[in-house]
Amino acid sequence: MDLFDKLEGRPGPLGEFTSEGYGYYTFPKLEGPLGPTMKFNGDDVIVWSINDYLGIGSNEEVKDYDKNIAQDYSLSSPMGARLMTGNSTEHEKLEEELADFVHKPDSLLLNYGYQGIMSVIHALVDRNDFLIYDELSHACIVDGKQLAMAEKFVFKHNDIESFEKQLERAHRNAKPNSSVLVVTEGAFGMTGDLGILEEMIALKEKYPFRLLVDDAHGVGTMGEDGSGTGTHLGCHDGIDLYFGTFAKAFALIGAFVATEKRAVEFLKANVRSQIFAKSVPMPIVKSARKRLEMIRKNPQWREKLWENTNMLREGLREIGYNVLPAECPVTPVLTKGSTDLCQLIMRKLREEHGIFVSGVTYPVVPKGTVLIRLIPTAAHTEEHIKKTLKGFEAIKDVALKEVKAEEKKRMTA
């Protein structure tokens, strides 16, 4: 059978949306300067779908710095992979500063977050090892798991009993040269809850293992100093490998993993996506250093982020929406309905109220469920929040129709 003919017959769970909904539900074009308000289909919209948590992507000082750096260095420099000809003092300084920021001995710069953690997982474990991961892990962890040669066990989301059961299983089947790597997230990007890091770390005394935490949504936003979810929970020392990305709070491309120096030395020579890929361009490295400096100097950005987050959540709850009890800025609004309802909510908010939100349905969430995920940022204003709440108020009869029908049915039963 011809390969392309076969592809037509298995479009995948998102296939129907990439054709019929192209440019609207998938691959929408948010245009104009990055910020809390942008253009969508020619109209001004308040944007709640961009992970620029601290508003640093629209910061004028950062934009001016980026412009000047791009003039000083081209995006070509340095050429080659880090291992060969792509290293520089700036790359090494950034790694030192990142390690210091997240309170770890050393760090390794990575080209991309998604690609980076896949390669880190792949490098760390071999066929004699065990890889244990949370069932709600991000797709990058799932894909990293697919690459890894280790035996894989999955535990129920944030369920300490299920986690311990998998640890016991791994140690029961271990060989003399077997190791155990546990992977979870600091802050889960879809549901907004935090990983049960304290409880997991406490089990190290009973079942030795190393813990890798993907804190893409926590770095820069969580903890008193922005150093992540482990700091926020008071258990950062128990995290053996801390993974952060620039794609959220830094509003940039790239990532890093911070850990012991001996582990970094191993990863330098074994993370294939870095060994065989071009080094991070100098303007991005310099910009990452600048953004890190500003994040550390401006704790008020995190304060504003949380102020906006709490105002938005409280307002949505007062209207009658089910806002999941998220512990990071991610604000998930859950309702009942089909894919059609999800599309209707997005369309009404975008076209009738100038509010750009993104929604997901099955298979990302259970069948019959619609999740609208809002991402507050420090750049949003009180006026943005008030207008957004008015929009949600205006559509609640549509958005909550099935919820209210179910409540009425229960009351009359």
Side-chain angles (χ1 to χ4, degrees):
M1 182 178 186
D2 180 71
L3 174 62
F4 290 180
D5 289 341
K6 186 165 64 173
L7 297 181
E8 283 189 88
R10 54 177 179 92
L14 296 177
E16 61 179 297
F17 304 111
T18 57
S19 53
E20 296 174 9
Y22 185 88
Y24 198 92
Y25 301 118
T26 59
F27 298 93
K29 299 172 186 174
L30 286 168
E31 299 176 307
L34 179 67
T37 60
M38 297 179 74
K39 293 279 188 185
F40 176 65
N41 288 349
D43 296 322
D44 292 322
V45 290
I46 302 170
V47 181
W48 297 98
S49 298
I50 293 177
N51 295 316
D52 183 14
Y53 286 117
L54 301 178
I56 202 166
S58 57
N59 182 279
E60 291 302 324
E61 183 178 345
V62 169
K63 288 165 69 176
D64 287 343
Y65 183 85
D66 287 352
K67 180 175 64 177
N68 293 332
I69 287 299
Q71 289 178 337
D72 293 341
Y73 302 88
S74 77
L75 287 169
S76 302
S77 175
M79 283 299 294
R82 285 281 300 281
L83 192 67
M84 300 297 289
T85 57
N87 195 25
S88 77
T89 301
E90 291 294 328
H91 288 69
E92 292 174 349
K93 284 182 178 177
L94 174 57
E95 288 171 333
E96 291 171 9
E97 291 162 359
L98 288 166
D100 181 66
F101 178 52
V102 299
H103 313 297
K104 293 296 180 187
D106 202 358
S107 80
L108 176 66
L109 182 63
L110 304 163
N111 294 29
Y112 291 98
Y114 197 108
Q115 176 197 65
I117 197 161
M118 284 173 59
S119 290
V120 167
I121 292 170
H122 173 245
L124 287 171
V125 291
D126 62 33
R127 65 178 70 253
N128 297 303
D129 297 331
F130 297 89
L131 177 64
I132 302 174
Y133 63 99
D134 189 292
E135 67 178 349
L136 289 192
S137 292
H138 189 270
C140 62
I141 294 173
V142 174
D143 287 352
K145 176 262 296 186
Q146 296 293 87
L147 284 176
M149 298 179 72
E151 189 167 354
K152 297 99 176 177
F153 300 145
V154 60
F155 62 94
K156 295 177 184 177
H157 176 56
N158 274 353
D159 185 321
I160 194 64
E161 292 181 4
S162 176
F163 173 58
E164 183 171 5
K165 188 178 294 183
Q166 300 309 322
L167 277 176
E168 193 279 329
R169 183 182 174 195
H171 282 275
R172 186 174 64 245
N173 292 287
K175 303 171 186 175
N177 61 341
S178 295
S179 300
V180 178
L181 175 67
V182 173
V183 187
T184 190
E185 296 184 44
F188 286 84
M190 191 59 65
T191 53
D193 55 341
L194 305 183
I196 51 170
L197 305 184
E198 290 174 285
E199 296 96 316
M200 294 172 76
I201 290 167
L203 286 173
K204 282 186 173 185
E205 296 180 9
K206 190 174 180 181
Y207 309 95
F209 64 89
R210 291 292 184 173
L211 177 62
L212 166 60
V213 174
D214 179 350
D215 207 24
H217 291 270
V219 65
T221 67
M222 301 295 293
E224 196 170 297
D225 59 356
S227 61
T229 304
T231 302
H232 172 77
L233 294 173
C235 60
H236 189 67
D237 288 347
I239 297 172
D240 299 294
L241 298 112
Y242 181 87
F243 186 92
T245 177
F246 301 152
K248 301 337 188 225
F250 284 67
L252 199 62
I253 286 288
F256 67 97
V257 58
T259 182
E260 295 180 21
K261 289 184 179 294
R262 57 178 174 161
V264 168
E265 284 303 306
F266 170 82
L267 290 171
K268 281 180 181 178
N270 290 280
V271 176
R272 293 170 65 84
S273 66
Q274 309 308 302
I275 297 171
F276 300 106
K278 185 182 178 301
S279 177
V280 179
M282 189 68 78
I284 292 178
V285 173
K286 294 280 287 185
S287 184
R289 292 189 66 199
K290 176 66 173 177
R291 291 166 195 236
L292 177 57
E293 175 191 339
M294 294 184 71
I295 288 170
R296 301 183 84 164
K297 286 182 177 179
N298 292 279
Q300 72 274 12
W301 291 349
R302 281 189 298 280
E303 293 170 10
K304 179 62 175 173
L305 167 63
W306 281 104
E307 180 185 316
N308 287 346
T309 299
N310 293 331
M311 186 185 303
L312 179 66
R313 288 178 181 170
E314 289 167 11
L316 288 166
R317 289 192 180 108
E318 287 175 7
I319 294 169
Y321 284 92
N322 176 22
V323 181
L324 296 183
E327 302 166 87
C328 70
V330 173
T331 300
V333 177
L334 204 65
T335 190
K336 293 181 178 296
S338 62
T339 301
D340 289 341
L341 176 63
C342 183
Q343 294 174 347
L344 181 61
I345 290 172
M346 287 191 285
R347 188 174 291 277
K348 277 185 166 291
L349 287 173
R350 292 176 186 183
E351 296 181 3
E352 297 176 14
H353 302 283
I355 301 163
F356 188 97
V357 299
S358 298
V360 295
T361 56
Y362 180 82
V364 180
V365 292
K367 284 184 178 179
T369 303
V370 172
L371 188 147
I372 305 296
R373 187 180 70 159
L374 293 90
I375 306 292
T377 74
H380 283 105
T381 66
E382 186 175 342
E383 188 57 38
H384 292 149
I385 296 171
K386 286 180 177 178
K387 183 178 177 182
T388 298
L389 293 175
K390 284 182 181 178
F392 272 87
E393 173 81 43
I395 70 158
K396 73 174 184 178
D397 287 344
V398 172
L400 303 178
K401 184 177 180 180
E402 290 195 30
V403 174
K404 291 183 176 180
E406 188 174 288
E407 289 175 352
K408 186 177 180 180
K409 186 177 179 180
R410 279 203 307 266
M411 290 175 65
T412 55

